[in-house]
Every structure is written in C-alpha cells, then in structure tokens.
Amino acid sequence: MVAPLGLIFMIQWMLLFAPVCGGWRCTDLEMPDSPIRNLTLNRRKMEMSWVSSMNFTEYSCSVNAGDGEIKIKVKDTTCMFERNMAPPLHNGANFSVTAVNINTTYSSICTFIPQGLPGTAITNFSCVIYNVSLMNCTWHAGRDAPGDTQYFLYWQNSGEEEERECELYVKDENGRHTGCQFQNVMIKDTTTYFMVNGSSKDSLIRFHDEYIKLYTIEKLMPPLNVTINCDGIQKGCIIQWQRPQISHSSKDECFKYEVDIKHKANPEEKTKDTYITERKNNYSFQNFNTKKRYLVKIRAAGSACLVNTAWGEWSAPLEFGNEEVISPSMLILLLTVVATLLVAVLTVLFCKRTGYWKAAFPQIPEPKNAFHVLPDTALKTECEMQSITPETEEIIVLAEVMK
C-alpha cells in the first residue's frame, strides 16, 4: 500500500507545481495572492491573455521555447507574439506575465505541453516554392505513430487570415498523407504558419508546427532572355539577360548573377570563365578565341530585398563564337590514322631490306612437269635439223660438186 500511495502523492505534487496546458487553454495554478490569473493561450494566433485584479501601467510577457526567449511589453491584458518572432510550440514552451506595482513584482507562469504521445508527430517537414507560384510540402510519418494515423496540413499567411487546409494531398501506398501540393501561392512579407496534426483510433497524435518566411524557400527560376553580341575585331562579347520572374518583386537590384562559360568542344572541362555580378544584367567576356565556340549559362540568387539568397536554376546553355576548323576530337582521330599508316609503311620497308619479308612471306614452289625433258644438246640438234629447208639442201649439194 505504501508504494501506490507514494505514486498517487507524487502525481498530485506534479500537478500542483508543474501546471499543464491542455487544448487551447493554458491554465496556471497561481499563487493565491497574485493579481494575475487565468492565463489563456490562442496557439494559432500566438496570443496570450489574462485577468488582472489590479491596475498596472505595463505588463511584460515572455515565451521560452527551446534555446530562445522572446519578451515584449504591453499596456493591457493581451499579449500577441508576432509571427516573425514566435517560436514553434510542438516541443512545448513556457509562458509568463510579469507586472510591477510600487516595489512589488507579480508574475504568473504557465508551461505548455503539447498533447499526444512522443514519436507520433511527423518528421522532416520541408517546403519548396518553384515555377513562381507552385509549392510542395513533404514530411515523414512519426516512427511511433499507429498504422491508422492520418495527417492533415493547415497553413496561415498571417494572424488575420483564416487557416486553410491542404487541397491536394500526396499519399503513399497505404493512403497516408505524406505531402501537399499548392497552386497560386503568393509570397508576402509576413511569416507563414504551418501546422500538421494527426488522428488515430488507437492514440492521441502530437502536432508539428513551423513558422516559415516563404521567400526563403523559393527556388529561383533562370534569368530570362539571355543574348550575346560579339565583336570579332575587338575580340569581345557582351552577354545580357533579364532578371528571373518572381511573384513578389519587380526590382532588378534584388539579384546577383553567376555567369559560367565553357568551351563547346569539351563542356566537362574546368570552367573557362566564372563571374559573379551584383545588381547588373550584363557581362563583358574579353579576349576570347575567335576560332572556338563557347557555351554560356547564367543563374541568379537574392542579393537584397525579400529574395532567397540560395542560387537558383541555370539557364539553358547558349552557344556563341565560331566553329573550329578541326575539333580536338577529330584532330586526335586524324593523327592516330596517320601514325598507324606511317608505322605500317616503315615496317614493310624494314622487313624487305633485312630479308625478314621473305621469311615472313615465302614463295610458293611451282609444280613439277609430268613430261620428260630432253637435254639441251638434243633439243638444239633437233631444232637445227628442223630449220633446214629444200633451198638450203640445194646450196649444200652445189658446194660439194665444186669441190
């Protein structure tokens, strides 16, 4: 019996000295003599209110979440934390109100503890804006969330606007929401509030919230209308472009640009020329080789204004310059063919001079004659006898008579 009684006493003690905020209302068990009572928190508006039994000329409000603390001063009993300063509450927070009357300080403190089991909230929440007005948000289900957990995304551009739920969810193979697609998104100078809560039949799901400045998640489009004008005599080219399209600014001075130039014949080589220009929409490329052709591409990033400072997408490569008479690849192939032929000719000449040619390519012997060949003398006598004609015989007989 001692152990259960001790456990009950501990729980009661924790409830007494560690106030818990449930739902939308944050209620503190104040000290009996404190004139500041009944703290109430509107979580979505980040607005805290209270009741005071004394007239104070000024109140000090604070919220402490994570490693940061925000303090503001107000004249009445309502305190609103601006979105550009407000911290997310999914990990809990401490709220307090303090007032001073003559030499006495009064305060009331409340601890906000989000409802739901740890490990059931989503993780890896991220959003990106692309193509000027499209936005995608994605997340992963909580590692300890039950299998039937379903998540829902709500967002709000400012405290004055109504919350809106995602209109087009992205689902996994089990039908669970793992992302949201938005259209016609307008980037404003306010901080946008995102909140993803969940539901399950088995347990209470903890919510996840974030405050995001939309311009910081915009992926910039490439610069527009890139043009190149080259002077073959002066050996210079003027590269010009227009700023990328964004929905919330039309000022050219909001951007910086990176110009990347490479040889067309070898686009994988180290960059020929890289130049970063601030608030300028042109670049002069000097001393280029008039017999070569180049590729240029440009990308932009925010330099001022409410524009994302991360580099955006590259523009499509644009060619300029003159075609080479023989490209390096064709020149290498031609030299290889000539060298091969030269080696072959020298090898043949060397083999013929040293006798290696006959050894390498011996003559094929002729076939023997099947008929008997007479000696040369017999053949000669027979030929002489055949060459005596009747006129020759008469000359020979006359010569014998004269003798």
Side-chain angles (χ1 to χ4, degrees):
M1 291 294 293
V2 176
L5 289 176
L7 181 61
I8 293 173
F9 175 78
M10 182 179 294
I11 294 174
Q12 290 177 344
W13 184 87
M14 291 176 64
L15 292 175
L16 179 64
F17 293 99
V20 176
C21 308
W24 300 103
R25 189 171 181 81
C26 179
T27 303
D28 185 23
L29 299 177
E30 302 92 348
M31 296 176 58
D33 59 347
S34 176
I36 303 173
R37 305 174 61 85
N38 299 331
L39 267 66
T40 303
L41 173 67
N42 186 322
R43 176 164 61 90
R44 285 185 167 87
K45 289 186 176 182
M46 283 299 292
E47 182 181 74
M48 187 169 58
S49 60
W50 57 91
V51 176
S52 178
S53 60
M54 297 178 60
N55 292 325
F56 295 97
T57 58
E58 187 177 76
Y59 298 90
S60 176
C61 308
S62 69
V63 54
N64 190 320
D67 299 330
E69 183 178 11
I70 302 171
K71 291 183 178 181
I72 58 175
K73 293 182 178 181
V74 295
K75 301 294 184 180
D76 54 15
T77 58
T78 301
C79 182
M80 179 176 290
F81 299 95
E82 297 295 334
R83 288 182 177 272
N84 58 348
M85 299 184 302
L89 300 180
H90 59 267
N91 289 324
N94 292 323
F95 292 86
S96 68
V97 178
T98 304
V100 178
N101 185 17
I102 308 178
N103 294 326
T104 305
T105 301
Y106 301 94
S107 64
S108 182
I109 302 173
C110 179
T111 300
F112 176 80
I113 300 177
Q115 296 179 342
L117 298 176
T120 58
I122 64 165
T123 59
N124 299 327
F125 180 82
S126 64
C127 298
V128 60
I129 295 177
Y130 61 99
N131 289 348
V132 182
S133 61
L134 302 179
M135 181 170 68
N136 279 355
C137 294
T138 59
W139 58 82
H140 294 160
R143 65 181 183 277
D144 297 327
D148 69 333
T149 302
Q150 186 60 283
Y151 295 104
F152 304 93
L153 170 64
Y154 297 87
W155 70 306
Q156 190 179 31
N157 259 331
S158 66
E160 291 74 25
E161 293 183 3
E162 292 294 330
E163 280 187 347
R164 291 169 289 173
E165 185 182 356
C166 170
E167 296 180 356
L168 182 59
Y169 283 107
V170 178
K171 302 179 182 180
D172 61 11
E173 61 276 4
N174 298 320
R176 177 181 287 176
H177 299 161
T178 58
C180 180
Q181 295 179 348
F182 300 86
Q183 295 181 347
N184 302 319
V185 176
M186 292 294 296
I187 297 178
K188 301 181 179 180
D189 58 356
T190 56
T191 302
T192 301
Y193 178 68
F194 293 87
M195 191 268 292
V196 181
N197 61 20
S199 63
S200 171
K201 296 179 180 179
D202 297 332
S203 63
L204 193 61
I205 306 301
R206 183 169 294 189
F207 74 92
H208 176 92
D209 63 340
E210 287 192 22
Y211 291 91
I212 301 177
K213 295 182 181 297
L214 293 185
Y215 76 88
T216 63
I217 60 171
E218 181 179 19
K219 188 173 184 180
L220 295 179
M221 299 291 289
L224 302 174
N225 301 328
V226 180
T227 59
I228 305 173
N229 294 314
C230 295
D231 187 346
I233 299 176
Q234 299 295 329
K235 294 185 179 179
C237 292
I238 301 299
I239 305 172
Q240 295 178 308
W241 60 87
Q242 294 179 354
R243 64 174 181 83
Q245 183 182 359
I246 58 176
S247 63
H248 56 286
S249 177
S250 59
K251 300 178 181 179
D252 291 339
E253 60 268 20
C254 293
F255 302 91
K256 63 181 178 180
Y257 302 93
E258 182 178 7
V259 182
D260 180 88
I261 301 174
K262 287 185 172 69
H263 287 132
K264 179 186 176 183
N266 190 10
E268 301 300 326
E269 70 176 348
K270 185 178 178 180
T271 300
K272 174 67 178 175
D273 192 15
T274 299
Y275 180 76
I276 296 178
T277 174
E278 294 276 351
R279 305 181 184 182
K280 291 176 59 179
N281 290 34
N282 59 79
Y283 170 60
S284 179
F285 180 45
Q286 300 295 330
N287 298 322
F288 70 99
N289 191 333
T290 57
K291 296 182 180 180
K292 290 185 178 294
R293 197 154 181 83
Y294 298 87
L295 294 174
V296 61
K297 58 183 180 179
I298 308 172
R299 62 180 178 177
S303 176
C305 314
L306 300 180
V307 181
N308 190 2
T309 57
W311 288 111
E313 297 180 357
W314 287 104
S315 63
L318 187 64
E319 298 183 20
F320 69 97
N322 298 318
E323 290 287 357
E324 300 177 14
V325 178
I326 300 179
S327 65
S329 57
M330 290 298 297
L331 182 60
I332 293 173
L333 179 60
L334 181 60
L335 291 176
T336 302
V337 172
V338 171
T340 303
L341 292 176
L342 183 59
V343 170
V345 171
L346 292 176
T347 302
V348 171
L349 293 177
F350 175 77
C351 290
K352 284 191 174 183
R353 288 185 63 86
T354 57
Y356 288 109
W357 184 267
K358 291 182 179 181
F361 302 99
Q363 293 183 354
I364 299 175
E366 296 180 358
K368 294 182 179 181
N369 192 352
F371 299 98
H372 178 69
V373 179
L374 297 175
D376 292 344
T377 54
L379 180 60
K380 182 177 180 180
T381 305
E382 183 178 354
C383 291
E384 289 178 352
M385 291 178 66
Q386 291 178 358
S387 63
I388 298 176
T389 61
E391 291 81 2
T392 306
E393 291 180 355
E394 292 179 357
I395 294 171
I396 293 173
V397 172
L398 182 59
E400 290 180 354
V401 171
M402 290 180 64
K403 287 180 179 181

